[in-house]
Amino acid sequence: MAVTDTPVAHVECFDCPIRHRAVCARCETDELEALEAIKYYRTFDAGQTVIWSGDRMDFVGSVMEGIATLSQTMEDGRTQMVGLLLPSDFVGRPGRESAAYDVTATTQLTMCCFRRKPFEELMIRTPHIGQRLLEMTLDELDAAREWMLLLGRKTAREKIASLLAIIARRDATLKLGPTRGRIVFDLPLTREAMADYLGLTLETVSRQISALKRDGVIVLEGKRHVTVPDFDRLLGETGDDSDGGMPA
């Protein structure tokens, strides 16, 4: 496993920026103290592998900062990206010793990790953790269904709008900001990564982003700083129902 030696400042669970969405969201003070005793941090540079599919996984954890991809290598050697891990998403499966997918850092990635065996034992003693993990698993199932729809049925423009909406909504939720009206965020993916994720060419991604910008759906400063003047209008470009049809 490739890990950078960059030191990560210790963050108390009480002050964690992702706590309200992470697996510890429902924990009481004594439960947070128990998690503190088994947690540690790992930082990965963009492009580094967090874990390979099939490798023994001795930890589980939450993405604190950055984005990672979930992918699977097929028998003919091709790699299919099957999902994104955004801040507060959970990595690993209690009760499973090996990784189901390759996990790769797309940007610099910081993870709050827990040793797997102590975490599994803590889950038994702490229903709040198990309940929250169940909620997150169901959210992940919804995201997987959205992913199937996004790849199979949507136009290129709808795919780009959907991805922007997912990232904008998650960013706003993490910052406890509004998820309607004007939303401002930094796009954490390069256009190349967006193309891989959405099954599009780089040229198509660039063309569709330019079209959304030209039509006033988004405003770009540079290539990464995005302003959505009217989030409902962006949702209208996704091809989903009026509520967005996407997980938060």
Side-chain angles (χ1 to χ4, degrees):
M1 182 182 297
V3 187
T4 69
D5 294 326
T6 304
V8 180
H10 185 86
V11 178
E12 297 292 337
C13 287
F14 298 98
D15 300 322
C16 180
I18 64 168
R19 186 194 161 194
H20 60 288
R21 283 191 57 92
V23 69
C24 54
R26 293 176 173 266
C27 288
E28 305 290 346
T29 300
D30 59 331
E31 297 164 343
L32 288 176
E33 291 173 350
L35 283 172
E36 281 274 7
I38 62 171
K39 83 174 185 182
Y40 57 97
Y41 297 104
R42 282 180 171 169
T43 297
F44 303 83
D45 288 332
Q48 285 190 316
T49 299
V50 178
I51 191 77
W52 292 103
S53 173
D55 281 359
R56 180 178 177 82
M57 195 165 182
D58 295 323
F59 71 95
V60 297
S62 298
V63 175
M64 280 192 66
E65 295 179 343
I67 283 185
T69 60
L70 294 172
S71 59
Q72 184 72 59
T73 301
M74 295 177 281
E75 291 184 0
D76 62 3
R78 289 178 298 166
T79 299
Q80 175 63 56
M81 194 183 303
V82 298
L84 284 178
L85 292 169
L86 303 173
S88 78
D89 283 342
F90 194 74
V91 181
R93 297 289 175 86
R96 177 183 289 176
E97 293 189 355
S98 60
Y101 301 102
D102 297 338
V103 180
T104 306
T106 301
T107 65
Q108 180 167 312
L109 181 75
T110 299
M111 291 185 57
C112 176
C113 301
F114 307 101
R115 298 191 302 277
R116 185 171 58 82
K117 285 295 185 182
F119 185 85
E120 290 171 350
E121 294 168 359
L122 188 59
M123 279 185 63
I124 296 173
R125 306 194 307 268
T126 309
H128 286 154
I129 293 178
Q131 291 168 2
R132 177 58 183 153
L133 192 56
L134 175 59
E135 291 176 352
M136 296 176 74
T137 301
L138 294 174
D139 286 344
E140 184 180 338
L141 177 60
D142 287 341
R145 289 168 173 164
E146 171 63 20
W147 169 254
M148 293 172 61
L149 173 64
L150 188 151
L151 286 186
R153 295 293 181 181
K154 293 190 175 186
T155 66
R157 184 181 176 104
E158 289 171 344
K159 289 180 179 182
I160 296 296
S162 295
L163 181 58
L164 292 175
I166 289 170
I167 294 174
R169 181 178 282 169
R170 174 64 68 85
D171 187 78
T173 303
L174 283 170
K175 294 176 181 176
L176 300 178
T179 55
R180 283 291 188 268
R182 183 175 181 271
I183 297 179
V184 181
F185 66 98
D186 289 319
L187 186 63
L189 297 174
T190 65
R191 296 190 182 189
E192 291 85 352
M194 292 174 68
D196 288 342
Y197 181 64
L198 297 172
L200 300 171
T201 65
L202 174 60
E203 292 76 14
T204 298
V205 170
S206 295
R207 187 165 56 250
Q208 295 301 327
I209 289 178
S210 295
L212 290 170
K213 177 182 177 181
R214 182 180 61 249
D215 295 342
V217 179
I218 62 173
V219 177
L220 283 179
E221 295 180 26
K223 291 187 176 181
R224 298 290 187 90
H225 192 68
V226 181
T227 298
V228 180
D230 183 352
F231 190 67
D232 285 338
R233 184 179 178 193
L234 177 62
L235 289 181
E237 297 285 349
T238 67
D240 293 311
D241 295 333
S242 60
D243 67 351
M246 295 175 295

